[in-house]
Amino acid sequence: MVVTCEEVWREISNYLDGEVAPAFRTAIDTHLQGCQRCQAVLNGTRNVIGLFGEENMIQPPLGYSQRLRRRLEQSLPGKRGTAFGWLVAAVATVLLVGSFEVANSSSFFHPTPRSKLAQPATSSVPPEMMVVVSDEGKTFHAPGCTFLHDKKLRTITVSEAQREGYAPCVRCMKKYLTERADAQSASSEEAESLTAEE
């Protein structure tokens, strides 16, 4: 059995008290013969146990503890935590939190897009639409997209594609959404004209 320095250090007190298994004691003995650091730890622990185990240990003079405490208190800086200090800290905290709230609500962090193309999309790809994905790509495409070049393709719904981490192909989805909007516009115009004729 081979022991590490950490195991010796952890069990050094039990070793000195003779409370380790015989096989473990032999392993520690073997380790101590070749490790000077562990020998130093053993000797130091033995000395500390010897000092505290003696009945003749030197007692400090009467009143020494009180004098030491008084001297330490005198050498420490003045009292902390005055009411004025707490008030200043509270005001600073309120100002800091308030400035973050004002900054987050301002248009500085959320500017309004100026260009029509920069406006957020109002129509989205329907989640049940069937799209084509490639295991090697990161985008989903409308069937027949000219930008699909992979050979290993599979067809899934938009919601499944998004759940798997795919993003829409900007080109074919823009074309799909434009055609869809035009078709909806044409059908609504046709419905209006039929209603007007009746």
Side-chain angles (χ1 to χ4, degrees), residues 3-20:
V3 293
T4 63
C5 292
E6 289 81 15
E7 291 172 311
V8 171
W9 300 340
R10 191 172 37 242
E11 294 294 327
I12 199 75
S13 180
N14 292 334
Y15 173 82
L16 287 171
D17 291 340
E19 296 179 1
V20 292

Side-chain angles (χ1 to χ4, degrees), residues 50-130:
L51 284 173
F52 280 100
E54 278 188 26
E55 292 178 13
N56 299 337
M57 194 169 163
I58 301 172
Q59 293 290 328
L62 193 63
Y64 178 76
S65 300
Q66 290 83 9
R67 288 192 307 272
L68 177 64
R69 181 184 189 107
R70 196 176 28 232
R71 199 163 187 191
L72 287 173
E73 286 175 353
Q74 289 172 354
S75 66
L76 289 176
K79 241 182 162 179
R80 295 183 183 180
T82 62
F84 180 72
W86 284 109
L87 179 65
V88 169
V91 169
T93 303
V94 168
L95 287 174
L96 186 64
V97 169
S99 63
F100 278 120
E101 288 299 318
V102 168
N104 282 336
S105 67
S106 73
S107 62
F108 178 73
F109 287 105
H110 306 288
T112 307
R114 296 181 188 175
S115 163
K116 183 178 179 183
L117 296 174
Q119 298 296 326
T122 54
S123 60
S124 62
V125 181
E128 68 280 351
M129 176 184 170
M130 298 304 288

Side-chain angles (χ1 to χ4, degrees), residues 109-151:
F109 287 105
H110 306 288
T112 307
R114 296 181 188 175
S115 163
K116 183 178 179 183
L117 296 174
Q119 298 296 326
T122 54
S123 60
S124 62
V125 181
E128 68 280 351
M129 176 184 170
M130 298 304 288
V131 292
V132 180
V133 295
S134 165
D135 290 336
E136 298 168 4
K138 295 186 188 316
T139 56
F140 62 83
H141 304 268
C145 177
T146 57
F147 296 99
L148 269 171
H149 302 294
D150 297 324
K151 294 179 173 66

